[in-house]
Amino acid sequence: MTGLPETWSVPVVRADFDHDRAWQWIVREIGAATEEGFGGDVEFVEDRTLAGLDGFAIAARYLPAYPCEYRHPLLFVVDLVAMAAPEHALLVVNLNTGVDAGPFRTVPRQVQAIQNNLSLANMDYVDFERAANPDGVFRGF
């Protein structure tokens, strides 16, 4: 198993390659600035060897940086669920080994808020996880 390419920005990993229109829409939504003018510092990763993998399998392919932490606190996964569901809610996977928090989903327009706040340490991953609706999708505060 090979590691995923290192990215300077938080990775948005494509894990479904059957829905190109949905992928293009998701990329545009994430790339657009928020109402407050903030953009997301993300990098889109398209690697067909990841097709069909879940978030944990994709996270396992990211090699931890020295000594045991990942370069980024999380990654976003655009899987079949994200591609096929009406809201295109991406899977958010925690990579911070010091934080005991599970995955949740988020609508594409909240990727910027999550990435910005975690990168600046304004908020913690669990703040977003706990703010997800009962269906497991974070749609904002």
Side-chain angles (χ1 to χ4, degrees):
M1 174 172 63
T2 61
L4 292 175
E6 284 293 320
T7 59
W8 289 105
S9 302
V10 172
V12 177
V13 180
R14 185 177 184 181
D16 176 272
F17 291 86
D18 292 332
H19 299 87
D20 288 332
R21 291 181 103 174
W23 170 250
Q24 292 164 3
W25 185 87
I26 291 167
V27 168
R28 280 193 307 274
E29 286 292 297
I30 294 172
T34 65
E35 291 178 10
E36 297 84 11
F38 296 108
D41 185 14
V42 299
E43 189 169 329
F44 297 98
V45 176
E46 293 188 67
D47 181 344
R48 289 189 176 272
T49 64
L50 304 175
L53 296 181
D54 65 21
F56 295 110
I58 292 171
R61 289 192 173 201
Y62 272 97
L63 302 176
Y66 180 84
C68 63
E69 293 292 324
Y70 292 94
R71 178 184 299 250
H72 307 292
L74 74 158
L75 65 92
F76 298 97
V77 177
V78 183
D79 56 6
L80 176 60
V81 173
M83 294 287 203
E87 288 185 298
H88 300 296
L90 291 70
L91 184 64
V92 185
V93 180
N94 175 34
L95 295 179
N96 186 339
T97 57
V99 175
D100 185 24
F104 63 94
R105 290 195 175 268
T106 187
V107 294
R109 294 297 292 162
Q110 292 300 320
V111 166
Q112 302 92 326
I114 295 169
Q115 180 278 312
N116 286 187
N117 282 295
L118 291 181
S119 294
L120 295 171
N122 287 341
M123 299 179 78
D124 294 322
Y125 183 94
V126 294
D127 296 326
F128 293 98
E129 178 195 31
R130 290 178 183 153
N133 290 347
D135 65 356
V137 178
F138 176 75
R139 294 179 178 87
F141 292 105

